[in-house]
Amino acid sequence: VLSKNFLFGSKDAHQYTTRQVHDIDANQSGWTALCDALPASPVEELDVADVGMGVTGVTSLAKAISSMAVLARVSVLSNPIGVDGADALIQVFEQNTNLRTLLGIEEGVTELNLSKKNVDLGQAKILAAELKASRATAALASLTVDSTGVPARYSRVPAGPWTYTLTVADTTIDLSQKNLSPADVTLLAVWIQRPEVSAVLNSLILDHNGIFGEVWRNMDYQGGCDADSFSSQCDAILQAVKTSNVMHLSLQHTGMGPVTCQKLATSLAGL
């Protein structure tokens, strides 16, 4: 367990304090040595949560653990690994079925609370991959996590992240004004495709989240958006709706434009 160490160095939080924070990916010397040593080691569990690892560090880690046949558990939680870093780890995870988790999730857990864990877009993507693979998360009945979206510009809604909870018994999922990002929606798509969720869910409300395009309010609080700017990332949720039992779907002020609207039409046509 190496969590909560400054494995890449530290720096002052700002010019008026000596409080130290992670200097993300700054000094790779020790990390490179560790990653070089890992493939030949008998390590079965590796906890490197909250160590200042960024995209460069996690890419080295992914390469190192790709050949570790006995490795069963990893935690990269609370590191700003980004989407590219997540993709590198997910590729290893999908190829190695002995690897049970990348976020340190306990085997067989029924309730999981990842709020206040600095889950970024990359870790949200990993969480979705873990739910889809249904290894350590197979028995999960309740998930609490913070949203990862960028707050709407000049919004009267307080800036996020916002905490939300998903449970398998939900007949209605209402995530209005939760500052959701496309990564949150991908996670949601995997969640509602779980058989125990889709069997009871009949209402999905995602109003006032920039999930299909960036949304904002100007200084006169008039709404606007960069419609369809995230359209390429919306396919998963639309496919999930298509195969679900959802009868009520609300997508007010979500940045939808003509491209996403066309995709929604295709999805609804298959119901």
Side-chain angles (χ1 to χ4, degrees):
V1 177
L2 300 174
S3 61
K4 297 186 181 298
N5 284 299
F6 294 94
L7 298 189
F8 298 87
S10 63
K11 62 182 180 180
D12 293 344
H14 53 78
Q15 61 180 329
Y16 301 112
T17 183
T18 58
R19 181 175 65 85
Q20 296 295 286
V21 297
H22 292 300
D23 197 359
I24 306 299
D25 267 349
N27 187 334
Q28 297 280 330
S29 58
W31 187 251
T32 298
L34 177 64
C35 289
D36 287 345
L38 281 174
S41 76
V43 171
E44 297 180 3
E45 183 172 349
L46 179 63
D47 186 345
V48 286
D50 192 16
V51 296
M53 176 170 45
V55 176
T56 301
V58 80
T59 302
S60 299
L61 177 65
K63 181 179 179 180
I65 67 175
S66 64
S67 58
M68 296 178 67
V70 299
L71 185 66
R73 296 176 52 79
V74 175
S75 178
V76 298
L77 196 63
S78 303
N79 288 294
I81 61 173
V83 173
D84 290 340
D87 287 341
L89 281 179
I90 289 170
Q91 182 176 6
V92 175
F93 181 72
E94 291 176 342
Q95 293 173 350
N96 182 1
T97 56
N98 186 61
L99 191 54
R100 305 295 295 176
T101 179
L102 294 169
L103 297 177
I105 298 172
E106 293 296 328
E107 195 74 29
V109 66
T110 58
E111 296 185 8
L112 179 62
N113 188 344
L114 295 181
S115 65
K116 315 305 180 187
K117 297 293 185 181
N118 297 317
V119 172
D120 72 346
L121 295 171
Q123 291 162 74
K125 190 170 186 178
I126 288 175
L127 182 56
E130 292 209 27
L131 286 174
K132 185 175 182 179
S134 195
R135 298 178 193 174
T137 61
L140 193 63
S142 176
L143 171 64
T144 300
V145 68
D146 293 334
S147 62
T148 60
V150 175
R153 286 179 276 172
Y154 305 116
S155 175
R156 288 174 289 184
V157 178
W162 287 76
T163 301
Y164 62 93
T165 298
L166 303 170
T167 65
V168 295
D170 289 333
T171 57
T172 295
I173 294 178
D174 185 350
L175 298 181
S176 301
Q177 295 186 332
K178 289 295 186 181
N179 190 30
L180 301 182
S181 74
D184 293 297
V185 177
T186 298
L187 175 61
L188 176 63
V190 175
W191 180 265
I192 68 177
Q193 287 178 306
R194 302 175 77 197
E196 62 272 36
V197 177
S198 62
V200 299
L201 182 67
N202 56 48
S203 179
L204 180 61
I205 305 168
L206 302 176
D207 300 341
H208 302 285
N209 291 290
I211 56 177
F212 302 123
E214 186 182 3
V215 298
W216 68 83
R217 295 180 185 276
N218 63 25
M219 296 306 292
D220 295 322
Y221 297 110
Q222 299 298 311
C225 73
D226 185 5
D228 286 335
S229 56
F230 304 139
S231 178
S232 63
Q233 303 174 57
C234 73
D235 294 345
I237 189 64
L238 297 179
Q239 179 61 32
V241 169
K242 178 179 180 179
T243 58
S244 73
N245 293 317
V246 170
M247 301 299 292
H248 174 236
L249 175 65
S250 187
L251 299 171
Q252 298 182 63
H253 198 212
T254 53
M256 182 183 298
V259 175
T260 308
C261 186
Q262 178 63 51
K263 291 184 176 183
L264 176 62
T266 301
S267 179
L268 294 178
L271 293 178

